[in-house]
Amino acid sequence: MTQAEIKLCSLLLQEHFGEIVEKIGVHLIRTGSQPLRVIAHDTGTSLDQVKKALCVLVQHNLVSYQVHKRGVVEYEAQCSRVLRMLRYPRYIYTTKTLYSDTGELIVEELLLNGKLTMSAVVKKVADRLTETMEDGKTMDYAEVSNTFVRLADTHFVQRCPSVPTTENSDPGPPPPAPALVINEKDMYLVPKLSLIGKGKRRRSSDEDAAGEPKAKRPKHTTDNKEPIPDDGIYWQANLDRFHQHFRDQAIVSAVANRMDQTSSEIVRTMLRMSEITTSSSAPFTQPLSSNEIFRSLPVGYNISKQVLDQYLTLLADDPVSLLSLYLASADNFSTLFGSRCARIFRLVLQKKHLEQKQVEDFAMIPAKEAKDMLYKMLSENFISLQEIPKTPDHAPSRTFYLYTVNILAAARMLLHRCYKSIANLIERRQFETKENKRLLEKSQRVEAIIASMQATGAEEAQLQEIEEMITAPERQQLETLKRNVNKLDASEIQVDETIFLLESYIECTMKRL
Amino acid sequence: MASRGGGRGRGRGQLTFNMEAVGIGKGDALPPPTLQPSPLFPPLEFRPVPLPSGEEGEYVLALKQELRGAMRQLPYFIRPAVPKRDWRRLPRELKIRVRKLQKERITILLPKRPPKTSEDKEETIQKLETLEKKEEEVTSEEDEEKEEEEEKEEEEEEEYDEEEHEEETDYIMSYFDNGEDFGGDSDDNMDEAIY
């Protein structure tokens, strides 16, 4: 784990779980797997706090445990899983586009809580949806269950490994930590539940919720004392499946950019057909016959079989590495070096090896500028020099020096930069909010006062007075702060997309080697 | 050893590689020497890529901020404990009475129900605005745990630096929530909101 990754993990853990969890988590990431007492001793935190923190981390699938010899349980952190927290909004939004609000809330609850039973998820989501509906309407559990089943069928949610059922009558002492197992077949098997009920509102105006104390969050109310039918069966969001979806999207749009709409549709169909048959980490999809593709094309695309075949051959003949496209895309390079550099880079990428003179000629850029750009890229390690000696003594005057691009190295370097930039973005955002803390608190108080006065029916003049408590320059400051924070957040999201592409590429390439 | 003479021997001023191959011709001006460290924020020569905007971008942005706020309210967010105070030295009235001990069984992996303790500490301040509520830690031998009461507003106070530390980021994230909670939450405080 590089320093940049560790720093980013630390920031993420701190923002989402607080400092204690952050301390424990970062310690585990740095030192590898350790037992409980050693963690407590090394980090200098009390045993109880360590226990709490580990509970939270395990609950959220960020830390795993293993029983070693002599009954010692060791905990290990998954750094890459922590970094996924950046992508939570994207997972949730994707579900929204595919399965609308119900699906969105299901995935959101699963991500926020780490693991949940199906009945718990259904109940929570129904409650939340009921909140947003008009008065008198409630959300039925059955509808939520249906969406849940659909999510499980398409593998977007999966079962967590569970405690194995002990069928033997072994009277031995229970192991210090359960060895959770999961059967491949069972991973997406939804238990047969008959969840009957409707969502409950939080407000006391609703009759169902009459027993609830006012202004308390639903988590405090455990109204049903019946045993949960699917106790022990926990579900989690299947991040790999989401990644597969993102990857398919990226491929389709890249093809659409490079060729035309129809070919992208063909690719999309192929990908959809192999969605569940191929595991998400395979480098190639299963070979599909063109007949199958033809049959699965969406209605409305009535192209003849011949045309389809033509398209397929076209796609097959175009050996383009998608990432190289992306790396060389104007977006990426324009910001760093300018679009001319992008041109040079793409050129070197395509031709694999080029001499200085050739670069100038092919790119049609004046020599001085070309030199300058090449060296800049060289210094940033996007391009490297390859020596090809003409004579066995490697004399410099008789050696070819060729520029070449090592994509894997460049990708790794970019990735590292991305981690650093996100860490910077988060730190800057925290700094900005800390600077204006006083002002923020003041504005919140004012809002609260206004809201409460409105609730009790205050006059216009009074409200006006209260609003004026915040002076105009202060309002201005708040506006600026909000704008900045939004910008920083949006940048984080954008950089995370790049991270996803780079990571997928590196993973794919490593598999192929 | 012999060739090291401060570069005064034969062949000084020659480089080991052919300059032209790398691209520096004879007589070309070299870039000026650098006399100072590079600036901390080098000027951005090219405009950065536009941020994601439009409906999707804004939705994802709002979602992100909302998630951040939501996660702070969940029971999984563990707040650092307030250090123990020596009650012999402080006036008795400052001590919090309601303290519920909650021993947690740590080895269960099921999602924990948040402990139902809520501890209040009232303080009268000279300020006209809102009441300050704080929590007091449980001063038991093993357990020190805290929980914020989410409905009450809190105000920073110069004297109580330890509390400031844990509350410091409390509002900031929830500032970007849509403030619906504040209306209902402050109902109890109505009498106190002296104006």
Side-chain angles (χ1 to χ4, degrees):
Chain A
M1 293 298 119
T2 61
Q3 281 301 317
E5 284 172 296
I6 298 182
K7 171 94 183 136
L8 186 51
C9 286
S10 146
L11 284 169
L12 286 171
L13 283 175
Q14 185 207 358
E15 266 206 333
H16 292 110
F17 296 116
E19 292 191 356
I20 300 182
V21 175
E22 181 253 332
K23 196 154 49 148
I24 310 292
V26 169
H27 177 79
L28 275 176
I29 293 176
R30 277 215 176 95
T31 56
S33 100
Q34 284 198 326
L36 179 63
R37 300 225 166 249
V38 179
I39 300 176
H41 177 264
D42 284 350
T43 55
T45 35
S46 75
L47 206 58
D48 280 337
Q49 306 224 310
V50 177
K51 289 179 189 174
K52 271 192 245 184
L54 282 174
C55 265
V56 169
L57 287 168
V58 174
Q59 168 74 15
H60 279 84
N61 310 310
L62 302 172
V63 156
S64 62
Y65 56 84
Q66 230 184 343
V67 185
H68 283 259
K69 54 184 191 288
R70 283 191 279 152
V72 170
V73 183
E74 287 199 348
Y75 300 90
E76 191 172 350
Q78 323 281 340
C79 176
S80 50
R81 179 62 179 81
V82 178
L83 294 173
R84 296 296 148 263
M85 293 181 73
L86 279 169
R87 221 165 279 162
Y88 281 3
R90 201 171 164 196
Y91 299 139
I92 299 176
Y93 180 72
T94 308
T95 326
K96 186 189 174 80
T97 56
L98 295 173
Y99 294 101
S100 86
D101 288 346
T102 320
E104 178 195 2
L105 287 183
I106 291 179
V107 170
E108 187 178 327
E109 285 295 328
L110 280 177
L111 286 173
L112 283 181
N113 288 286
K115 308 197 221 316
L116 283 176
T117 59
M118 178 172 168
S119 33
V121 172
V122 169
K123 182 167 187 309
K124 274 190 213 256
V125 173
D127 286 345
R128 276 180 77 173
L129 283 171
T130 310
E131 286 285 316
T132 61
M133 292 166 110
E134 307 151 5
D135 280 326
K137 281 209 192 154
T138 52
M139 176 57 117
D140 203 26
Y141 281 10
E143 204 177 313
V144 182
S145 298
N146 280 341
T147 318
F148 192 94
V149 171
R150 279 164 64 200
L151 279 170
D153 283 340
T154 43
H155 296 201
F156 278 106
V157 302
Q158 69 186 26
R159 268 210 222 179
C160 307
S162 45
V163 182
T165 47
T166 47
E167 65 287 301
N168 52 355
S169 52
D170 186 355
L180 303 176
V181 296
I182 179 83
N183 203 340
E184 267 294 326
K185 307 193 291 291
D186 293 338
M187 235 200 285
Y188 305 103
L189 208 55
V190 180
K192 294 272 180 298
L193 298 174
S194 56
L195 290 168
I196 313 205
K198 298 195 191 299
K200 293 208 167 35
R201 273 181 204 281
R202 235 192 292 160
R203 292 187 258 285
S204 56
S205 56
D206 192 10
E207 290 144 13
D208 289 355
E212 297 181 34
K214 203 162 64 147
K216 276 271 210 289
R217 298 288 163 94
K219 66 187 185 221
H220 282 282
T221 65
T222 42
D223 25 343
N224 52 343
K225 302 284 187 293
E226 319 141 5
I228 313 172
D230 60 344
D231 189 29
I233 305 181
Y234 288 92
W235 295 80
Q236 61 184 353
N238 182 3
L239 299 191
D240 281 337
R241 177 71 183 85
F242 279 104
H243 293 164
Q244 193 186 6
H245 182 87
F246 295 156
R247 208 180 47 216
D248 295 348
Q249 269 184 333
I251 293 179
V252 168
S253 68
V255 171
N257 276 338
R258 188 151 174 89
M259 296 183 220
D260 67 349
Q261 185 69 13
T262 320
S263 36
S264 81
E265 277 304 317
I266 296 178
V267 175
R268 196 204 301 268
T269 318
M270 283 174 69
L271 288 169
R272 205 181 313 137
M273 283 165 58
S274 36
E275 242 170 31
I276 307 198
T277 54
T278 327
S279 85
S280 58
S281 45
F284 301 104
T285 61
Q286 310 271 30
L288 302 160
S289 79
S290 69
N291 268 322
E292 288 180 335
I293 302 178
F294 186 59
R295 263 177 279 145
S296 321
L297 273 179
V299 181
Y301 266 95
N302 45 353
I303 55 176
S304 70
K305 181 118 187 343
Q306 275 179 322
V307 178
L308 174 68
D309 283 339
Q310 279 179 353
Y311 266 114
L312 285 173
T313 39
L314 195 63
L315 281 169
D317 284 341
D318 195 8
V320 168
S321 153
L322 282 170
L323 181 82
S324 61
L325 263 185
Y326 181 76
L327 270 184
S329 75
D331 281 354
N332 226 299
F333 260 79
S334 308
T335 66
L336 289 175
F337 302 119
S339 48
R340 286 187 165 183
C341 261
R343 211 153 78 205
I344 297 184
F345 186 79
R346 212 174 310 179
L347 187 64
V348 179
L349 194 60
Q350 270 186 323
K351 307 275 184 187
K352 299 282 189 305
H353 296 279
L354 281 179
E355 270 189 344
Q356 167 83 32
K357 193 92 184 30
Q358 286 173 312
V359 169
E360 292 165 19
D361 290 339
F362 279 122
M364 295 179 285
I365 294 178
K368 217 183 247 180
E369 270 189 50
K371 246 183 284 171
D372 196 28
M373 290 178 193
L374 276 173
Y375 293 149
K376 243 199 280 187
M377 287 199 277
L378 197 62
S379 70
E380 305 274 351
N381 281 326
F382 281 108
I383 285 193
S384 43
L385 271 178
Q386 170 87 27
E387 293 180 3
I388 302 189
K390 288 191 231 185
T391 56
D393 65 349
H394 287 250
S397 54
R398 290 189 293 275
T399 315
F400 284 116
Y401 287 96
L402 298 176
Y403 290 101
T404 179
V405 174
N406 181 352
I407 290 218
L408 198 58
R412 281 218 173 91
M413 202 245 338
L414 256 186
L415 187 61
H416 186 254
R417 257 190 173 187
C418 285
Y419 288 141
K420 266 204 196 152
S421 16
I422 290 203
N424 287 345
L425 285 169
I426 297 182
E427 286 225 37
R428 178 74 200 192
R429 174 166 48 79
Q430 288 180 342
F431 171 76
E432 291 274 330
T433 34
K434 199 151 91 160
E435 285 273 296
N436 295 287
K437 181 169 117 156
R438 190 198 69 86
L439 192 55
L440 272 172
E441 288 179 354
K442 178 174 175 188
S443 85
Q444 279 175 336
R445 273 203 306 275
V446 168
E447 267 178 42
I449 296 177
I450 291 184
S452 64
M453 291 190 79
Q454 268 176 345
T456 57
E459 306 154 2
E460 192 55 46
Q462 282 181 306
L463 291 175
Q464 197 76 3
E465 256 186 74
I466 300 181
E467 276 195 22
E468 279 165 19
M469 272 171 60
I470 302 187
T471 65
E474 281 181 335
R475 248 179 243 283
Q476 189 75 354
Q477 209 178 335
L478 278 172
E479 269 304 309
T480 318
L481 171 67
K482 182 153 188 189
R483 217 182 24 241
N484 288 345
V485 171
N486 281 352
K487 253 197 241 181
L488 291 167
D489 266 330
S491 314
E492 276 180 50
I493 296 175
Q494 197 174 42
V495 179
D496 180 58
E497 286 182 19
T498 312
I499 287 187
F500 170 70
L501 278 172
L502 290 169
E503 276 179 349
S504 315
Y505 176 78
I506 294 180
E507 201 185 306
C508 241
T509 322
M510 297 302 292
K511 281 218 175 58
R512 232 185 284 178
L513 288 177
Chain B
M1 287 283 223
S3 53
R4 265 204 298 155
R8 282 187 302 270
R10 282 181 301 160
R12 67 180 159 127
Q14 282 182 12
L15 300 165
T16 54
F17 58 95
N18 184 7
M19 276 206 317
E20 271 158 15
V22 191
I24 309 174
K26 247 188 157 118
D28 261 357
L30 289 169
T34 40
L35 296 166
Q36 56 190 354
S38 45
L40 193 57
F41 290 115
L44 201 61
E45 294 164 358
F46 307 100
R47 197 165 280 164
V49 185
L51 291 172
S53 57
E55 211 182 298
E56 176 178 341
E58 302 205 354
Y59 189 85
V60 179
L61 181 63
L63 195 55
K64 182 179 211 289
Q65 293 174 338
E66 201 183 296
L67 272 181
R68 214 166 35 226
M71 290 207 86
R72 305 185 73 86
Q73 307 297 336
L74 285 178
Y76 307 109
F77 192 96
I78 303 182
R79 291 162 199 270
V82 169
K84 273 182 172 197
R85 295 212 196 84
D86 192 335
W87 288 113
R88 298 171 295 194
R89 299 174 51 96
L90 295 168
R92 184 122 24 123
E93 63 185 6
L94 296 180
K95 199 171 180 181
I96 302 251
R97 37 267 48 106
V98 181
R99 291 171 359 206
K100 255 207 239 165
L101 240 200
Q102 197 97 25
K103 280 217 200 321
E104 291 186 334
R105 234 130 299 142
I106 304 298
T107 48
I108 314 179
L109 295 172
L110 295 174
K112 302 188 296 185
R113 303 273 96 199
K116 297 197 177 63
T117 58
S118 51
E119 301 158 281
D120 284 345
K121 175 175 162 181
E122 297 253 333
E123 259 196 50
T124 50
I125 323 166
Q126 305 305 334
K127 294 216 176 161
L128 299 177
E129 302 196 13
T130 48
L131 267 185
E132 176 177 16
K133 303 231 183 267
K134 289 196 233 175
E135 267 116 294
E136 181 58 40
E137 50 156 349
V138 176
T139 52
S140 66
E141 299 86 35
E142 337 168 6
D143 259 4
E144 286 189 344
E145 84 179 295
K146 284 190 54 60
E147 184 169 281
E148 303 274 22
E149 226 190 273
E150 291 139 351
E151 304 114 19
K152 316 288 186 212
E153 297 292 315
E154 291 168 272
E155 191 182 313
E156 58 174 353
E157 205 37 37
E158 286 75 29
E159 312 135 42
Y160 295 91
D161 287 70
E162 316 96 285
E163 265 79 11
E164 243 184 293
H165 160 68
E166 83 230 356
E167 292 163 11
E168 69 185 341
T169 41
D170 236 0
Y171 309 117
I172 314 307
M173 298 307 139
S174 51
Y175 168 72
F176 295 109
D177 281 350
N178 56 4
E180 253 176 32
D181 301 7
F182 292 112
D185 298 334
S186 302
D187 270 347
D188 310 327
N189 288 350
M190 242 337 282
D191 313 327
E192 319 289 359
I194 317 163
Y195 197 68

